[in-house]
Amino acid sequence: MFVEPIVRIESLRVEFPGTDPGRTPNVAVKGLSLSIAPGEVFGFLGPNGAGKTTTMNVLLGFNNATAGNAFLFGVNVREPIARQRIGYLPEQTCYYKFLTAEELLRFYARIFRIPKADVESRITAVLRLVELEHARGRPIRTYSKGMQQRVGLAQALINNPELLILDEPTSGLDPLGRMKVRQIIQRLKAEGKTVFFSSHELGEVETVCDRVAILHEGQLKVEGRVRDLVTRYHGDLENIFLQLIGYSQPAYEPGTHLSSGRQHAA
């Protein structure tokens, strides 16, 4: 039985004008095609500048595609879309930090027109999910980096979305913070949510994702199930990533000292 993908991208191309008059455009995404099924956790990987955020911005309506198409819930993103069905966490969260978590979430609840009778129970539910119920009345400025990232996840979940788009959700977090975000993604997967997220934390992606895609310089290098890619390339996801972007680690020469750049005999 055919199941309509939650996300479908067809031959997507995104260009930005050159920085100087007469310069050729900067092509950020080059003919990308992907589909993401309902309930799937999909990892979107690539080095900085690969085109990951640009692709997400097209899906969210922040950027227009130069060519190709993208669809959410079967509707072209160029058309009006019920954004209430989507939760989004940007890489850099910018909130009024004098607000408490409760106040921030009430603000977003009004944006999504959540019925007043449901707001408080919804706030409690998402704060419990991200393990911030104990700090709900504290100003966000008193939160650690990990707590601020988790309150960002809470705002992305306040409307109970079917699709979550997360741009580098573990960026800048310590190991404990990354673990907590990973656990939240696993809980969302267990609830049947569809999660599309970019990350540089390849070990964590390997743990939580059903499938991944690796981009380099705007082009899709590989896409598939993590276990299938590990078998095909005879290595873990980090080694696969490095192979596909053409990185070769410099050979270490014994006796080389970084401080001087000279070799010394042992």
Side-chain angles (χ1 to χ4, degrees):
M1 183 179 68
F2 174 76
V3 177
E4 178 75 38
I6 293 284
V7 178
R8 180 160 51 94
I9 300 170
E10 297 177 343
S11 303
L12 189 71
R13 183 179 180 89
V14 184
E15 298 178 1
F16 296 105
T19 54
D20 296 325
R23 291 194 62 178
T24 56
N26 173 33
V27 183
V29 181
K30 306 171 183 175
L32 175 65
S33 295
L34 286 175
S35 66
I36 302 172
E40 195 167 36
V41 177
F42 193 97
F44 203 36
L45 313 179
N48 291 333
K52 305 183 302 296
T53 297
T54 299
T55 300
M56 290 181 166
N57 285 345
V58 169
L59 293 174
L60 293 160
F62 301 153
N63 292 135
N64 291 322
T66 307
N69 291 294
F71 301 85
L72 294 176
F73 309 104
V75 179
N76 195 304
V77 295
R78 296 179 186 270
E79 303 294 331
I81 292 175
R83 302 291 178 185
Q84 287 85 350
R85 301 173 72 183
I86 303 168
Y88 170 57
L89 176 67
E91 182 177 1
Q92 299 293 331
T93 56
C94 298
Y95 304 125
Y96 292 114
K97 294 186 178 182
F98 58 83
L99 296 176
T100 66
E102 289 178 316
E103 291 167 337
L104 178 75
L105 294 175
R106 287 193 193 102
F107 172 72
Y108 278 95
R110 288 198 297 272
I111 290 175
F112 284 107
R113 299 178 182 176
I114 296 172
K116 288 183 178 180
D118 299 332
V119 169
E120 294 307 314
S121 61
R122 187 68 198 150
I123 289 173
T124 297
V126 296
L127 288 175
R128 185 176 295 131
L129 176 66
V130 301
E131 299 183 13
L132 285 177
E133 198 173 9
H134 68 285
R136 62 189 295 159
R138 281 171 45 190
I140 294 171
R141 66 171 177 269
T142 68
Y143 285 12
S144 67
K145 168 69 174 173
M147 293 170 72
Q148 289 184 30
Q149 198 75 340
R150 277 151 46 210
V151 82
L153 276 169
Q155 71 76 21
L157 291 165
I158 192 65
N159 56 319
N160 195 23
E162 297 169 55
L163 168 65
L164 277 152
I165 298 177
L166 312 176
D167 194 357
E168 299 288 350
T170 60
S171 176
L173 300 187
D174 63 18
L176 179 60
R178 292 199 302 270
M179 181 194 71
K180 287 183 178 293
V181 172
R182 183 174 69 243
Q183 289 174 338
I184 292 165
I185 292 174
Q186 289 172 326
R187 290 175 199 154
L188 295 170
K189 178 180 178 179
E191 292 179 9
K193 303 288 188 188
T194 304
V195 183
F196 178 40
F197 75 101
S198 66
S199 179
H200 288 112
E201 303 295 338
L202 301 181
E204 294 174 4
V205 168
E206 194 165 357
T207 301
V208 302
C209 287
D210 299 302
R211 288 191 301 132
V212 299
I214 299 176
L215 264 64
H216 183 47
E217 296 179 346
Q219 292 184 310
L220 178 65
K221 292 296 185 180
V222 75
E223 176 271 324
R225 292 189 173 276
V226 174
R227 63 175 178 268
D228 294 340
L229 297 179
V230 167
T231 300
R232 186 194 314 171
Y233 288 91
H234 307 289
D236 61 19
L237 197 56
E238 182 174 335
N239 287 325
I240 295 168
F241 179 89
L242 294 175
Q243 285 181 53
L244 291 172
I245 69 171
Y247 177 81
S248 58
Q249 187 170 357
Y252 170 71
E253 298 181 17
T256 300
H257 291 259
L258 295 177
S259 58
S260 65
R262 297 192 302 270
Q263 291 184 350
H264 299 268

